[in-house]
Amino acid sequence: MARVCQVTGKKPMVGNNVSHSNIKSKRRFLPNLQTKRFFYAEEDRWITLKVSADAIRTINKNGLDTVVKQLRADGVKI
């Protein structure tokens, strides 16, 4: 499975490791992804999502129902 957040769409970024002598080499910045189970009361079942820490805060703020409706409107199968 790809390292992409299902809610926010965050994915790895590319940057540089910079040494003390200012030599640059490529590196990847990976998002803080967690595989998390949420209980979806509307359908009385558990939903497993691969979400970033930022997305967990979004779900806590807006509610799981709102986030799931938006994901389904975007065409994500849940």
Side-chain angles (χ1 to χ4, degrees), residues 16-46:
N16 289 316
N17 275 329
V18 182
S19 69
H20 180 68
S21 60
N22 208 27
I23 295 171
K24 296 167 184 74
S25 59
K26 285 296 186 183
R27 64 160 290 181
R28 293 176 77 196
F29 291 94
L30 299 176
N32 183 11
L33 293 182
Q34 315 291 327
T35 302
K36 184 126 173 67
R37 291 174 69 216
F38 297 96
F39 186 74
Y40 190 43
E42 296 284 318
E43 297 177 1
D44 196 37
R45 68 184 185 105
W46 289 92

Side-chain angles (χ1 to χ4, degrees), residues 61-77:
K61 180 178 179 182
N62 298 335
L64 182 63
D65 188 42
T66 306
V67 173
V68 168
K69 285 181 183 174
Q70 185 171 359
L71 285 174
R72 287 183 173 158
D74 294 340
V76 178
K77 183 180 178 293

